[in-house]
Amino acid sequence: MTTPTLGSILLGTADPDRLRDWYAAALAPGDAGEGFTEVTPTMFAGTFGDTSLLIDGRSDVAGTNPEPGRVVLNFHVDDARAVVEHLESLGVTWLVELEEREGGLFGTLVDPDGNYVQIIQLGQAPP
Amino acid sequence: MVADPPVPEVTAGVRRRARLLAITLESRAPDRAAAWYRQALGLSEADPLLTSGGVELRFTLGTTDAPNAAEPARIVLNLHVDDIRAAEARLVALESVWVRELERTRWGIIGTVLDFDGNYVQIVEPAPDSPPCLQRKEESR
């Protein structure tokens, strides 16, 4: 028997269209950045590497996450500075702006539901 | 003389493509939370990384002692398995709290439990005809 794989992470949201559009614009899901596919009219799936993000419209969550630090999604990118430049063009909200730490570049932003999203580029040499 | 190969054009979408390689879970007891996942996933203590497929699970000390998430449906981890009865047995051995017992759905057989900190974790044995994004992927490491 093989180890279970984290096949997907489901984000419950009161506004699935808004969240889908944000992740599609911000982080380009899919092997070629093709975006999300519609699973149901209120559920969308986008792949980010070996796992998928499922955005699920639900009535049992509020518009804003009341406990945003409870779970952090860590997205690894090849060029964090280019991603940050792109994200800033979208007018995103930063919790921690991109900074150099041991091991690479790290920045944390907040998605429209208030979930924390970390951008990571490992192995970035100092400029 | 050989001409240099053309430089592939990098589209904006590919350039900012992101891979979801880790989840950080806040916990009132990170070591115990990690131990819970190791047992739930069938990993041994010798495994250096706590990973599920290509995603690493990380745990940090939380700022609240609340035993459960205020909105557990906010973020749910879906663990895809090839033998859901074996996964169920591991969770029963952990004395997990079941939110939803195993049931057959259009997506496959699914059950939901609370992890050590009250987050929803689903075990999923995907149906053969469920969408590709919901299918079990081969482990990448």
Side-chain angles (χ1 to χ4, degrees):
Chain A
M1 203 207 71
T2 54
T3 304
T5 59
L6 185 58
S8 60
I9 296 157
L10 186 147
L11 291 184
T13 177
D15 192 341
D17 290 349
R18 178 181 68 170
L19 208 56
R20 171 203 60 197
D21 291 347
W22 188 87
Y23 276 95
L27 296 170
D31 291 340
E34 65 268 26
F36 285 84
T37 56
E38 184 177 303
V39 181
T40 73
T42 59
M43 183 188 281
F44 307 99
T47 59
F48 291 93
D50 291 331
T51 194
S52 296
L53 200 61
L54 296 180
I55 292 174
D56 185 22
R58 302 183 64 98
S59 59
D60 57 355
V61 295
T64 301
N65 187 342
E67 299 175 305
R70 212 177 155 86
V71 179
V72 180
L73 306 178
N74 296 293
F75 288 94
H76 288 233
V77 299
D78 294 329
D79 186 344
R81 295 188 199 282
V83 169
V84 166
E85 186 179 343
H86 169 71
L87 292 169
E88 289 186 340
S89 76
L90 300 175
V92 301
T93 302
W94 291 96
L95 183 70
V96 181
E97 294 204 3
L98 194 71
E99 61 185 10
E100 195 170 318
R101 296 183 213 157
E102 187 177 354
L105 295 170
F106 297 79
T108 306
L109 64 156
V110 183
D111 78 13
D113 280 10
N115 303 309
Y116 290 172
V117 173
Q118 187 160 234
I119 302 296
I120 300 171
Q121 180 185 349
L122 293 181
Q124 169 72 4
Chain B
M1 181 173 167
V2 178
D4 289 336
V7 176
E9 186 177 338
V10 179
T11 66
V14 171
R15 193 157 166 249
R16 68 173 194 272
R17 189 173 61 206
R19 289 151 289 142
L20 187 45
L21 293 186
I23 305 291
T24 305
L25 298 170
E26 201 172 68
S27 173
R28 56 201 157 94
D31 289 347
R32 293 179 67 186
W36 187 93
Y37 275 94
R38 279 191 184 280
Q39 291 181 58
L41 295 166
L43 296 173
S44 76
E45 291 294 325
D47 289 318
L49 278 178
L50 178 43
T51 61
S52 178
V55 182
E56 182 181 348
L57 303 180
R58 300 172 183 158
F59 299 88
T60 62
L61 185 61
T63 53
T64 173
D65 288 330
N68 289 320
E71 290 182 338
R74 172 74 63 179
I75 296 181
V76 181
L77 304 186
N78 290 320
L79 304 176
H80 291 196
V81 303
D82 56 10
D83 182 349
I84 201 153
R85 294 297 172 191
E88 179 190 38
R90 286 196 298 270
L91 293 169
V92 169
L94 276 168
E95 299 183 350
S96 302
V97 174
W98 289 84
V99 177
R100 181 168 70 161
E101 300 273 350
L102 292 189
E103 63 179 279
R104 195 173 295 275
T105 74
R106 60 187 289 202
W107 313 119
I109 304 172
I110 299 178
T112 309
V113 296
L114 299 180
D115 75 5
F116 176 77
D117 290 294
N119 302 304
Y120 279 7
V121 174
Q122 294 194 133
I123 52 173
V124 183
E125 187 177 299
D129 58 348
S130 63
C133 61
L134 302 179
Q135 288 293 333
R136 178 178 162 80
K137 300 177 181 68
E138 293 305 312
E139 291 173 84
S140 62
R141 57 171 98 163

